[in-house]
């Protein structure tokens, strides 16, 4: 007996094996072009594109379908300015005091520092919040499940959707990020997860020359 809250798997599509392989290769060829970009253009991007990317992110598998995420899309220049100011203050702390020498040495090839102009230049900052628990109508709290895993997967889909749309992004994690609750007026059950900076790359955008692990390095088949 099929429970009556179940529906038929309607949208699954099986491809013949050769087409399956061609699709897997084509997707890899496309996604391997994705780079984290720090040099953004201020060219505007249609809000509807961002809306569809967010809908794609919201399809992510997640714990008990609680969908423990909330996305705040910032385009208001004054709000971006406040975020930049607070983020740069935390980053100065990080680069000047908090970061270990090893951490700074690991970051050196990326050429990052406490200066984050992209937080004001890029047309959108998508601030991703993880909903640690739900607040029930009677005020009691209910913990969500596998929150970092769920929000991490949704963020991965968002990064992929943005690339697929022809835009670039940067995952930015000033630490700590509590200031985002204050600036964006988000409740205490939501924990900032990361800021996704989204837009067109600057015309002369540069990225570090880094390599990704080979299949042998990244996977083991048993
Ligand atoms: N949040 C800092 C430092 C930083 C940390 C890691 I790990 C990176 O991969 C990149 C940067 C910054 O954004 O500069």
């Amino acid at each position: 007996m099929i429970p009556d809250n179940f529906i038929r798997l309607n949208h699954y599509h099986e491809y013949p094996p050769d087409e399956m392989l061609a699709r897997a290769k084509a997707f890899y060829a496309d996604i391997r072009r994705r780079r984290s970009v720090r040099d953004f253009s201020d060219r505007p991007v249609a809000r509807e594109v961002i809306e569809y990317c967010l809908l794609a992110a919201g399809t992510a598998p997640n714990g008990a379908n609680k969908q423990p995420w909330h996305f705040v899309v910032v385009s208001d220049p004054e709000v971006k300015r406040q975020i930049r100011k607070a983020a740069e203050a935390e980053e100065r702390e990080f680069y000047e005091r908090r970061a270990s020498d090893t951490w700074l040495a690991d970051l050196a090839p990326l050429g990052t520092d406490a200066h984050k102009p992209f937080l004001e230049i890029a047309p959108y900052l998508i601030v991703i919040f993880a909903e640690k628990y739900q607040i029930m109508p009677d005020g009691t709290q209910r913990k969500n499940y596998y929150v970092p895993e769920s929000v991490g997967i949704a963020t991965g889909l968002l990064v992929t959707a943005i690339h697929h749309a022809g835009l670039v992004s940067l995952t930015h994690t000033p630490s700590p990020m509590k200031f985002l609750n204050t600036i964006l007026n988000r409740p205490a059950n939501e924990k900032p997860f990361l800021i996704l900076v989204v837009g067109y790359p600057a015309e002369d955008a540069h990225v570090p020359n880094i390599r990704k692990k080979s299949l042998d390095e990244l996977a083991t088949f048993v």
Side-chain angles (χ1 to χ4, degrees):
M1 254 305 269
I2 297 162
D4 54 5
N5 61 328
F6 271 54
I7 54 167
R8 183 168 289 282
L9 175 63
N10 268 328
H11 300 288
Y12 171 73
H13 196 112
E14 181 177 324
Y15 301 101
D18 55 340
E19 195 180 337
M20 185 187 277
L21 180 58
R23 288 178 63 92
K25 283 186 186 175
F27 184 73
Y28 170 55
D30 187 62
I31 200 65
R32 70 180 299 192
R33 297 186 301 105
R34 188 208 60 80
R35 293 298 312 260
S36 290
V37 168
R38 292 183 173 79
D39 301 333
F40 279 84
S41 157
D42 63 359
R43 271 171 74 193
V45 167
R47 171 173 155 163
E48 207 180 2
V49 173
I50 304 300
E51 290 175 351
Y52 277 100
C53 292
L54 290 167
L55 286 168
T59 67
N62 65 89
N65 197 35
K66 297 289 183 182
Q67 304 169 64
W69 43 64
H70 187 77
F71 301 89
V72 179
V73 183
V74 179
S75 57
D76 183 316
E78 172 53 24
V79 181
K80 288 197 285 186
R81 198 189 59 77
Q82 288 176 28
I83 291 176
R84 177 182 180 182
K85 193 158 176 271
E88 285 185 335
E90 294 298 354
E91 295 290 35
R92 277 194 297 276
E93 258 313 288
F94 173 81
Y95 283 95
E96 287 163 22
R97 272 176 280 281
R98 266 202 312 267
S100 64
D101 289 345
T102 326
W103 196 341
L104 291 176
D106 281 335
L107 290 179
L110 305 181
T112 55
D113 58 26
H115 192 227
K116 305 296 177 191
F118 51 73
L119 292 173
E120 284 191 87
I121 296 169
Y124 293 108
L125 308 178
I126 304 180
V127 184
I128 304 169
F129 287 89
E131 195 184 82
K132 291 180 292 185
Y133 53 89
Q134 285 177 282
I135 301 166
M136 305 312 283
D138 68 358
T140 56
Q141 299 180 1
R142 275 224 208 136
K143 254 180 82 63
N144 283 327
Y145 312 104
Y146 297 99
V147 172
E149 293 84 349
S150 302
V151 182
I153 296 168
T155 301
L157 290 185
L158 182 58
V159 168
T160 307
I162 286 163
H163 168 75
H164 188 251
L167 296 168
V168 296
S169 69
L170 175 70
T171 51
H172 178 50
T173 51
S175 168
M177 290 192 277
K178 196 86 197 118
F179 65 86
L180 291 166
N181 287 75
T182 314
I183 295 174
L184 300 173
N185 203 14
R186 297 309 303 171
N189 60 325
E190 292 182 11
K191 186 176 183 222
F193 185 70
L194 57 77
I195 303 174
L196 197 68
V197 187
V198 179
Y200 288 98
E203 287 208 7
D204 192 34
H206 280 64
V207 292
N209 185 12
I210 52 174
R211 65 174 285 276
K212 295 295 183 187
K213 287 182 175 179
S214 68
L215 185 60
D216 282 349
E217 290 169 314
L218 72 82
T220 305
F221 290 76
V222 292

